[in-house]
Amino acid sequence: MNITDQIALVTGANRGIGRQFVLELLERGAQKVYATGRRLESLDFDDARVVPLRLDLLDHDSVVAALQAAPDLTLLVNNAGIATGADLVIGDLAEIRRELDTHFWGTLDVIRAAAPTLAANGGGAIVNILSALSWFATRGAGGYAAAKAAEWNLTNAVRLELAGQGTLVQGVLLGAADTDIMADYAGPKIDPRTVARRSLDGLAEGAIEVIVDDWTAMVKAAVAGDRAEFYTKLGGLL
Ligand SMILES: NC(=O)c1ccc[n+]([C@@H]2O[C@H](COP(=O)([O-])OP(=O)(O)OC[C@H]3O[C@@H](n4cnc5c(N)ncnc54)[C@H](OP(=O)(O)O)[C@@H]3O)[C@@H](O)[C@H]2O)c1
């Protein structure tokens, strides 16, 4: 995939990793970027190639309207997300549902609305921003980890379902990036721009999975190993 040919749509484009995606796409010469967010006024970009659109993952009508406004779309970046901090057993059920509604149902809603457009435009690509927490869980992130795990296997299933129309579906997995969602995390954090760079480098090579950082590579290797050993080690790591 050649990034200079692309017309992209990014969810959660107003800040964090999504904003860096927009800036990196522009730097690499993308033709147009639909920068979407919950509030139009938060989409502050100084480039004529940026088209701001309102898209709230929890508002189906806004998803349909945004995708209808992007008939030339070739690259969809599903980035928007939340972390409520809810544990599964004692946490607020409404917060846990909101995490699933956002990461699983919201992302799926956008994909379903975008898939016919991508097919009509030659296939294109979908990038889903996942997490190392798609592959393990920590205390204080039970709802988030379950939602990211669901989004990971959504990514795998959608990849198979859209292969026939030529759509590349890429899962991007990372540990901690320096954005608002990780403001309370004291450990090492990568530059959010790195996420966009690695993803777009991967798209150029046709990569279906991008492991952004060493921490996530370690988690991936550990998934194949002994679970008891992994969680014992994790207790010392976090
Ligand atoms: N940062 C990390 O360490 C890390 C690690 C692994 C995975 N991720 C994933 O990376 C993605 C981006 O996170 P981030 O680090 O950039 O977090 P962030 O700085 O908190 O940004 C989150 C973005 O998602 C948007 N958003 C939240 N709910 C939305 C909804 N219902 N509809 C539309 N937009 C919504 C936010 O919009 P508002 O400004 O309107 O709230 C904001 O633009 C998420 O999927 C997250 O799970 C992040």
Side-chain angles (χ1 to χ4, degrees):
M1 170 171 265
N2 188 349
I3 301 303
T4 54
D5 297 335
Q6 303 310 314
I7 296 174
L9 185 148
V10 181
T11 65
N14 55 308
R15 60 191 173 99
I17 294 168
R19 182 172 181 83
Q20 296 306 317
F21 248 103
V22 174
L23 297 175
E24 188 64 24
L25 281 160
L26 294 171
E27 193 174 302
R28 294 188 185 207
Q31 286 185 30
K32 190 193 287 185
V33 183
Y34 295 102
T36 78
R38 290 196 270 204
R39 290 172 301 111
L40 265 185
E41 61 273 21
S42 70
L43 298 160
D44 177 25
F45 293 95
D46 186 19
D47 191 303
R49 291 171 292 163
V50 175
V51 180
L53 292 175
R54 185 177 171 272
L55 189 161
D56 182 337
L57 291 178
L58 305 184
D59 174 357
H60 173 70
D61 290 347
S62 82
V63 170
V64 171
L67 270 299
Q68 276 174 355
D72 45 3
L73 179 69
T74 59
L75 169 59
L76 167 65
V77 181
N78 286 308
N79 160 78
I82 54 167
T84 71
D87 279 319
L88 288 175
V89 180
I90 58 164
D92 182 345
L93 266 184
E95 292 290 80
I96 298 164
R97 285 206 172 94
R98 194 158 66 88
E99 289 196 302
L100 266 297
D101 284 346
T102 302
H103 294 283
F104 179 78
W105 292 107
T107 300
L108 181 58
D109 200 15
V110 176
I111 290 171
R112 288 167 63 105
T117 305
L118 292 172
N121 296 333
I126 297 173
V127 171
N128 289 346
I129 306 300
L130 307 171
S131 170
L133 280 164
S134 297
W135 288 332
F136 76 107
T138 58
R139 285 296 309 271
Y144 179 82
K148 283 308 217 189
E151 194 183 2
W152 174 66
N153 228 1
L154 171 160
T155 304
N156 295 326
V158 165
R159 181 180 301 122
L160 298 179
E161 293 178 29
L162 298 185
Q165 69 174 43
T167 303
L168 173 69
V169 179
Q170 181 192 79
V172 176
L173 295 102
L174 67 140
D178 194 6
T179 67
D180 296 341
I181 213 171
M182 292 298 276
D184 295 335
Y185 180 68
K189 296 179 238 187
I190 60 168
D191 181 345
R193 188 66 164 258
T194 305
V195 182
R197 290 198 179 110
R198 298 266 158 83
S199 168
L200 295 177
D201 288 349
L203 281 182
E205 295 162 5
I208 63 169
E209 182 175 276
V210 171
I211 306 294
V212 177
D213 52 321
D214 292 345
W215 161 253
T216 307
M218 187 278 287
V219 169
K220 181 173 181 174
V223 167
D226 183 89
R227 306 304 288 163
E229 193 183 303
F230 173 65
Y231 278 99
T232 305
K233 192 173 160 198
L234 195 67
L237 283 174
L238 293 182

